[in-house]
Amino acid sequence: MTGLFSSEGPRWYSIPSGRSFLDDLARGLYDDLGPLGLSEAQILTPTRRGARAMARAFSELAHGGALLLPQVRAIGDLDEGEPPFDLEFLALDLPPALSATRRRFELARLVMAHYRPDGYEMTSKVALELASSLCGFFDSLALEEVDASDRLDDLVHHEAASQYVIDEWAKHWQVSAKFLSIVVHEWPRRLNELGLMDPSQRRVALIRKLGEQWTLRPPQHPLILAGSTGTAPSMADLMGLVAKLPQGAVVLPGLDLSLDDKAWRQVEDSHTQGAMKRLLERHGVAREGVKTWPASVETERGPRARRRLLNEALRPAQATEDWLQQIATMKSEADASGFDPFTEGLRGLNLIEARQDEDAAAQIAVLMRETLEMPDKIAALITPDIGLARRVSAHLSRWGLAANSSAGEPLAHSLTGRFLLDVLALAVDPLDPVRLLSVLKHPFGRYRDQSDLIDRVGLRTVRPRDMAEVAARLDKYPEAQGVWLDFSARISAWQDGFTAPRDLSDFVRTFVATAETLTREDGQMLWQGAAGASASALLSGLITEGEGFEVTSADDFADIVGHMIKTETLRTGGNTHPRLLILGAIEARLVKADRLILGGLEDEVWPQSPPLDPFLSRPMRKALGLPSPERRTGLAAHDFVQAASAEDVWLITRKHREGEPQVMSRWLWRLKTLCQGAKVDITDAPRIADWAHQLSEAVIDPPDSLKAAARPEPRPPAEVRPNSMSVTEVEKFVRDPYAIYARRILNLRLRDRANEPFEQRRRGNAVHEAAENFVLQGHPLGAAGEAAFMDLMEQALRAENLTEAEIALQRPLFGDWAQHFVNFETERRAGKPRFIIEKEGAYNFETARGTFTLKARADRIEVREDGIDILDFKTGQPPSAKEAVAGFFPQLTLTAAIVKYGTFDGMRHDKPIGDLLYVRLSPDGAKLKPVAEKSMSSDELADQALDKFKTRIEAYGKASQPYRSWVAPKYLKKKGDYDQLARLYEWHIMGDEDASSDAPAEDEA
């Protein structure tokens, strides 16, 4: 018998934190058993990932030579038919396991059957959500091997010997307990009817049967169970059995053998050693009886110092009162031997406190990229924050690198997933233009090549009321209309199928058939590749397992299937770098890496808060014999210590996450506090932050190939420059000449948005229309006028193609609008002016290039006996008088110049200019805001505005004058339509702001 198994059992070993668990395990077995004896051994690891990594560790020991490997199996993923778990011995008398999908649907049926007789409107979506929580409840019962039926009965019927009886609980906990007492009785009956077994119970049963098999026929070959902490009773008992076998051994990960006895006695569930303390106590094993794995015996003191530092920092809360004494003890050791535990413990441990997500992701990416400069070194990011992991992957892509991520990619991000979600959305809202365009233009779509006209003509601007309206818009384009009619018929036929409740499986079949008819190659493109295979398996499972599960509406169906698509993950491997890993905390337990980066060290992220149980309160869990929620925190703390004990470790925390302030992880906070007490600091490595920032900064002296393009300054020939302009265009001309260049010279037009939302512009159009028609149609004042204005508002909003719901939202405001407008009209009509409503005017003047025409369309001109007032209606905030007089909002002043010098409504008007008024119409009132200047009359303001405009036109009549963008950014109320074409972000936001924002002299208003 070899050295590992020469002693009497039980044999318990531990590989210290910071050691490469799999390498040490492989080396210890290789050295003890030799190449020949190794092939007879069996090794059990917690997960399949660990089993694969274990095999690689043995292969590396062979140095390229031949080696007969031991059998490596995953005890956490029992699969009969794989030695040593043969079906003949283990599962012959066990029913097959219920699939996860079928289990959820069956539990949802129980939920609906329980609540519906009481008149509670339980939708299938809510039932499935409750079923998911029930799955977690049954998993807890199975793993802890708790028979809840009697205990729940005791709780419900007041027979429990617990101080917590049901009358003392909140009402919702009472309802929950009664519901669970029914479910735990009904669920076994349903499983018996199906001839199936709960998957969690079956896994536990297989482990128990394996233990029974080994008790009756103990294996006579080396058997090692490694890497588990034995949190489940069945696994803990199996570990105790393996430790007693003739050639059996258990290898624990990171048992703290240095923690003093007092602190060890105070270890609780949330502590990093909590799980292993429970395991050892279960088997009556003293901590001193656990040996260090022979291959893990260290001669260097540095790794021991790191472990000691971390274990001191994570002492049980009650034991931290000894911190000052422990610090003094550790300092005295340094004085006596010259070896400073703090200095050595912090060597290779680095801390980065990033400002926010992007800052953290950029620095992590730099750390991983730096590792690749070290031959054969492996870098691993360990984080439970999927969002941070994806940000890091995005930053790595700048070097063309892709890390092997255990989280995979969401199916919803693939072409197949995106198409299926869009088609699903059309079941709920078949007239959503954005979704319709997404399906029509999708790379898989069968109508993609014919979709351009449908896009430009049929689905832009306001939302259509029905499919026929889109067809009417396409009336001038028969071919596109025919394509739309074919496409819409398929969508409508599918949507019509949701008029009555049906089985989920029937809905899924129809959904799949519809999706296939909307794709090329009769739907085959949809199921190609890894994403197609994953989607196909998911939907096939829903068809098979959804039999008999009733869905009542399109909303429920879309929510159910959409949720499953969004939560499905693709793990395809792909072209990833072999030395870059992104792992969750669980996946990282048995993975080897030279540089470990621990990201997301914020409370509520790592460690996460204990999950909320919708069915059981803490006292109820305790009464049922279920573990406390803090047990997960203890396991997470163990994972943290295991990783942080490595040689090269980087701890990453953020001050803000997703824009919200964050609190540093309690583990990191305690480590910092301990170090501060010892008057030492964790290395902060500012060079990494500097490198990350430099990657985002401009190069000080870039080569020509990297120099940013200059600010656009187009200088078109004089003959193509505009020879006419409206006063509304002049406003844009003064502030953003590039927009005039793009629209008038390049003839570029902004395409209307699909599904344009109801916003101020559309409501403003309706108010203008109602005010105009009120006067043109000669409606009376008073109460009759208010009623007429309300009718006009309704008509105008309908003309804007608003839905009934959107009009109903605005209708309560009609009365206030009408009252204030009629009051305004009463005041304006008192002087009996003649109205010129929405008429056009023009003024021609000569320039060096020829005649130029200035045009205007006035909202209202009031011709009085002693002068002419010009009014412009606004529903938003009008510009200030100062801005108007300065020339940045010249609409009223230039309109006055046209009245004075040109023609309006085909006639000249020789009366003096009176008031220039902005009229703000709102439900709060009709407020007049004059364009006034104490030292200048309206006539003089008109002359001043016209002179400035003529000067500008003369300047822009020369080919040397450029059309620059954003020459007066202060007066741009919103982003322009052509900002992207002008590369505004490149030179205005990232470039020299001073050079880009100041208008040249010739561009001043």
Side-chain angles (χ1 to χ4, degrees):
M1 188 175 292
T2 61
L4 285 174
F5 308 102
S6 58
S7 63
E8 290 292 326
R11 302 174 195 87
W12 294 83
Y13 294 95
S14 174
I15 294 178
S17 302
R19 302 287 303 180
S20 177
F21 187 91
L22 297 181
D23 285 350
D24 281 7
L25 183 63
R27 190 182 309 109
L29 289 172
Y30 184 86
D31 293 342
D32 190 74
L33 300 176
L36 296 179
L38 194 63
S39 62
E40 299 177 358
Q42 288 182 346
I43 303 172
L44 307 181
T45 65
T47 64
R48 291 182 182 274
R49 180 184 286 271
R52 292 192 296 268
M54 184 81 253
R56 286 194 294 271
F58 279 110
S59 299
E60 290 176 2
L61 287 175
H63 302 292
L67 182 67
L68 291 176
L69 298 180
Q71 292 185 12
V72 184
R73 294 289 180 263
I75 191 68
D77 294 320
L78 283 178
D79 185 5
E80 60 272 8
E82 289 189 1
F85 316 124
D86 195 282
L87 179 63
E88 178 183 355
F89 298 102
L90 293 180
L92 192 60
D93 57 347
L94 292 179
L98 190 71
S99 72
T101 304
R102 180 71 177 276
R103 180 195 194 196
R104 189 176 173 210
F105 286 134
E106 291 293 343
L107 286 172
R109 289 191 188 97
L110 284 181
V111 172
M112 297 171 80
H114 174 73
Y115 282 106
R116 279 186 174 172
D118 297 333
Y120 186 85
E121 294 185 6
M122 175 67 66
T123 65
S124 51
K125 175 192 173 185
V126 174
L128 281 169
E129 290 173 351
L130 288 175
S132 296
S133 298
L134 277 177
C135 288
F137 171 67
F138 281 118
D139 286 341
S140 297
L141 294 180
L143 291 176
E144 297 299 324
E145 299 177 76
V146 171
D147 182 2
S149 55
D150 293 337
R151 297 190 185 187
L152 277 169
D153 284 342
D154 290 343
L155 292 177
V156 171
H157 298 297
H158 301 202
E159 297 173 3
S162 168
Q163 60 174 318
Y164 299 106
V165 294
I166 195 166
D167 289 341
E168 298 175 2
W169 298 342
K171 185 175 181 180
H172 67 281
W173 291 127
Q174 297 178 30
V175 173
S176 173
K178 291 177 180 178
F179 168 66
L180 289 178
S181 68
I182 295 172
V183 171
V184 295
H185 287 89
E186 291 297 326
W187 184 232
R189 292 196 191 109
R190 180 56 181 162
L191 290 174
N192 286 335
E193 291 174 4
L194 297 171
L196 299 171
M197 191 173 184
D198 188 278
S200 297
Q201 289 182 330
R202 196 171 192 277
R203 281 194 295 270
V204 171
L206 285 171
I207 292 177
R208 289 296 183 190
K209 284 182 172 291
L210 181 62
E212 293 171 4
Q213 175 186 323
W214 284 346
T215 301
L216 294 174
R217 292 185 294 276
Q220 300 303 309
H221 54 264
L223 180 62
I224 299 92
L225 200 160
S228 177
T229 55
T231 51
S234 58
M235 179 61 71
D237 290 345
L238 185 67
M239 294 172 74
L241 174 62
V242 171
K244 296 176 182 177
L245 291 175
Q247 295 193 65
V250 172
V251 185
L252 299 175
L255 178 66
D256 184 4
L257 299 174
S258 63
L259 191 65
D260 62 79
D261 292 338
K262 179 181 177 182
W264 177 258
R265 288 193 296 272
Q266 294 171 331
V267 167
E268 54 190 14
D269 277 353
S270 62
H271 190 266
T272 176
Q273 297 290 307
M276 284 182 287
K277 180 187 177 186
R278 288 192 304 273
L279 175 66
L280 296 179
E281 289 178 345
R282 185 182 185 93
H283 296 293
V285 177
R287 193 168 41 130
E288 296 76 17
V290 180
K291 302 176 183 178
T292 299
W293 185 250
S296 302
V297 175
E298 298 167 326
T299 57
E300 304 88 356
R301 292 187 289 181
R304 294 201 300 274
R306 171 73 62 76
R307 286 195 295 275
R308 184 175 181 185
L309 186 64
L310 290 170
N311 289 329
E312 286 294 340
L314 270 66
R315 270 175 168 258
Q318 304 92 323
T320 54
E321 62 187 17
D322 297 334
W323 257 2
L324 293 177
Q325 179 183 343
Q326 290 296 325
I327 291 172
T329 301
M330 295 170 73
K331 286 289 187 181
S332 66
E333 294 174 4
D335 296 337
S337 64
F339 177 84
D340 186 351
F342 284 98
T343 302
E344 292 301 321
L346 292 175
R347 195 184 307 278
L349 187 68
N350 307 274
L351 172 64
I352 291 177
E353 296 185 60
R355 295 190 305 273
Q356 36 80 22
D357 300 290
E358 281 301 307
D359 191 26
Q363 294 189 57
I364 293 171
V366 168
L367 283 169
M368 298 181 80
R369 178 64 183 84
E370 184 190 34
T371 308
L372 298 184
E373 298 299 315
M374 310 171 193
D376 302 324
K377 297 294 184 181
I378 298 174
L381 166 63
I382 302 173
T383 180
D385 189 341
I386 295 177
L388 178 62
R390 288 177 181 163
R391 289 177 187 270
V392 172
S393 296
H395 279 276
L396 287 173
S397 66
R398 77 166 70 198
W399 296 292
L401 298 173
N404 185 357
S405 175
S406 64
E409 286 294 323
L411 174 61
H413 289 184
S414 68
L415 287 174
T416 296
R418 187 69 264 158
F419 185 82
L420 291 174
L421 287 174
D422 286 335
V423 176
L424 261 182
L426 294 179
V428 179
D429 186 1
L431 292 171
D432 183 347
V434 176
R435 296 288 190 176
L436 288 168
L437 285 173
S438 184
V439 172
L440 280 167
K441 290 180 168 289
H442 194 279
F444 294 167
R446 72 182 301 168
Y447 303 101
R448 186 183 184 190
D449 296 337
Q450 299 93 11
S451 63
D452 187 58
L453 273 174
I454 298 175
D455 177 7
R456 288 191 292 109
V457 179
L459 293 173
R460 294 284 169 168
T461 67
V462 295
R463 176 191 178 97
R465 292 190 179 91
D466 50 38
M467 296 290 190
E469 182 174 333
V470 181
R473 295 178 186 178
L474 295 168
D475 194 49
K476 296 180 180 179
Y477 308 95
E479 185 176 347
Q481 188 182 56
V483 172
W484 168 256
L485 291 173
D486 182 64
F487 171 77
S488 60
R490 299 174 192 270
I491 297 295
S492 298
W494 178 46
Q495 208 270 341
D496 290 343
F498 290 98
T499 54
R502 290 164 56 194
D503 275 4
L504 175 67
S505 57
D506 291 339
F507 278 138
V508 176
R509 287 188 186 94
T510 308
F511 167 57
V512 171
T514 302
E516 288 181 339
T517 63
L518 296 174
T519 55
R520 301 181 182 187
E521 300 178 9
D522 296 325
Q524 294 305 306
M525 291 188 71
L526 201 57
W527 315 119
Q528 293 176 0
S534 177
S536 176
L538 171 65
L539 296 173
S540 297
L542 289 176
I543 292 173
T544 303
E545 311 294 359
E547 290 284 350
F549 185 78
E550 186 179 272
V551 177
T552 56
S553 67
D555 284 352
D556 278 358
F557 173 73
D559 284 338
I560 292 168
V561 180
H563 175 74
M564 291 188 170
I565 292 175
K566 290 173 184 176
T567 53
E568 186 74 9
T569 300
L570 294 176
R571 291 183 175 88
T572 58
N575 187 23
T576 58
H577 199 287
R579 295 198 283 132
L580 296 179
L581 306 173
I582 298 179
L583 307 169
I586 295 175
E587 292 86 359
R589 290 175 180 175
L590 300 180
V591 173
K592 172 185 175 182
D594 301 285
R595 169 173 283 178
L596 289 177
I597 305 165
L598 312 188
L601 287 171
E602 300 90 32
D603 259 9
E604 310 297 331
V605 180
W606 199 11
Q608 295 178 338
S609 297
L612 297 176
D613 191 328
F615 293 115
L616 298 173
S617 65
R618 286 176 179 269
M620 293 168 72
R621 292 183 65 88
K622 184 176 180 180
L624 288 174
L626 295 177
S628 67
E630 282 75 22
R631 183 175 293 186
R632 288 190 180 183
T633 303
L635 294 174
H638 180 262
D639 293 335
F640 169 75
V641 171
Q642 285 286 94
S645 299
E647 183 178 352
D648 184 9
V649 178
W650 295 77
L651 309 176
I652 314 294
T653 185
R654 294 162 290 185
K655 296 179 180 178
H656 288 82
R657 175 176 177 264
E658 304 294 343
E660 298 293 331
Q662 296 295 297
V663 176
M664 183 182 294
S665 171
R666 67 196 70 170
W667 308 322
L668 184 52
W669 179 85
R670 295 184 75 180
L671 177 61
K672 286 191 67 176
T673 303
L674 179 66
C675 292
Q676 288 170 0
K679 294 182 171 53
V680 293
D681 294 320
I682 306 174
T683 306
D684 57 2
R687 63 185 176 87
I688 301 299
D690 290 341
W691 289 350
H693 295 158
Q694 288 174 25
L695 287 171
S696 301
E697 293 177 355
V699 180
I700 296 176
D701 186 20
D704 291 340
S705 59
L706 292 182
K707 287 182 179 177
R711 176 185 181 182
E713 293 187 342
R715 293 176 172 85
E719 58 269 20
V720 301
R721 300 190 179 211
N723 55 15
S724 67
M725 198 171 292
S726 68
V727 293
T728 53
E729 286 181 305
V730 174
E731 289 193 3
K732 182 67 70 175
F733 187 34
V734 169
R735 292 169 284 173
D736 188 9
Y738 188 88
I740 300 299
Y741 163 76
R743 181 175 177 84
R744 296 292 302 277
I745 299 175
L746 297 184
N747 199 30
L748 298 177
R749 297 291 187 272
L750 182 68
R751 181 176 287 189
D752 292 325
R753 290 183 293 176
N755 200 18
E756 185 173 357
F758 181 79
E759 55 189 16
Q760 187 173 359
R761 183 172 68 85
R762 292 174 65 194
R763 186 171 64 183
N765 291 341
V767 172
H768 275 75
E769 186 77 14
E772 174 187 342
N773 288 332
F774 186 91
V775 178
L776 292 178
Q777 296 173 12
H779 289 287
L781 301 176
E786 292 180 16
F789 187 84
M790 293 172 67
D791 290 340
L792 291 171
M793 279 290 296
E794 179 102 12
Q795 296 170 21
L797 288 174
R798 291 189 182 281
E800 288 289 326
N801 224 25
L802 267 65
T803 65
E804 290 298 329
E806 290 172 327
I807 294 175
L809 188 65
Q810 300 299 317
R811 196 173 286 123
L813 303 176
F814 288 0
D816 292 334
W817 253 315
Q819 179 184 351
H820 295 307
F821 179 77
V822 170
N823 291 341
F824 163 78
E825 278 295 310
T826 301
E827 294 176 6
R828 299 306 297 180
R829 294 186 187 185
K832 298 182 179 180
R834 179 169 64 87
F835 293 152
I836 301 175
I837 305 295
E838 290 289 342
K839 297 298 183 180
E840 293 186 352
Y843 167 61
N844 299 320
F845 61 91
E846 296 301 318
T847 68
R849 290 197 304 120
T851 302
F852 192 95
T853 302
L854 178 64
K855 298 180 291 186
R857 184 179 182 88
D859 285 351
R860 179 187 291 194
I861 297 176
E862 297 180 356
V863 182
R864 296 180 284 101
E865 290 295 331
D866 56 345
I868 299 176
D869 297 338
I870 303 173
L871 285 67
D872 185 61
F873 291 97
K874 301 285 187 186
T875 52
Q877 188 66 38
S880 67
K882 183 178 179 181
E883 290 173 327
V885 171
F888 292 104
F889 294 88
Q891 182 176 353
L892 282 178
T893 52
L894 286 178
T895 301
I898 297 175
V899 171
K900 186 174 180 181
Y901 298 109
T903 60
F904 243 102
D905 196 17
M907 296 182 292
R908 292 186 59 84
H909 300 273
D910 53 2
K911 294 184 179 181
I913 304 298
D915 293 330
L916 305 179
L917 298 172
Y918 287 110
V919 183
R920 184 171 185 238
L921 295 178
S922 73
D924 299 327
K927 300 175 182 178
L928 278 64
K929 191 170 187 178
V931 177
E933 183 75 18
K934 291 181 180 179
S935 58
M936 300 179 69
S937 66
S938 296
D939 276 297
E940 291 171 324
L941 287 174
D943 290 341
Q944 175 183 280
L946 185 59
D947 289 342
K948 283 186 176 182
F949 178 68
K950 288 181 177 181
T951 301
R952 180 177 293 275
I953 290 299
E954 288 292 350
Y956 278 85
K958 302 172 184 177
S960 59
Q961 173 64 41
Y963 286 85
R964 295 190 180 94
S965 179
W966 276 46
V967 297
K970 176 181 177 182
Y971 299 100
L972 286 163
K973 300 297 184 183
K974 60 181 181 179
K975 68 177 185 177
D977 296 338
Y978 305 98
D979 291 347
Q980 186 176 9
L981 185 67
R983 297 182 287 104
L984 179 73
Y985 184 85
E986 178 182 324
W987 55 265
H988 182 67
I989 306 299
M990 298 183 64
D992 184 354
E993 188 171 346
D994 291 337
S996 64
S997 61
D998 291 339
E1002 64 268 25
D1003 281 344
E1004 292 179 353

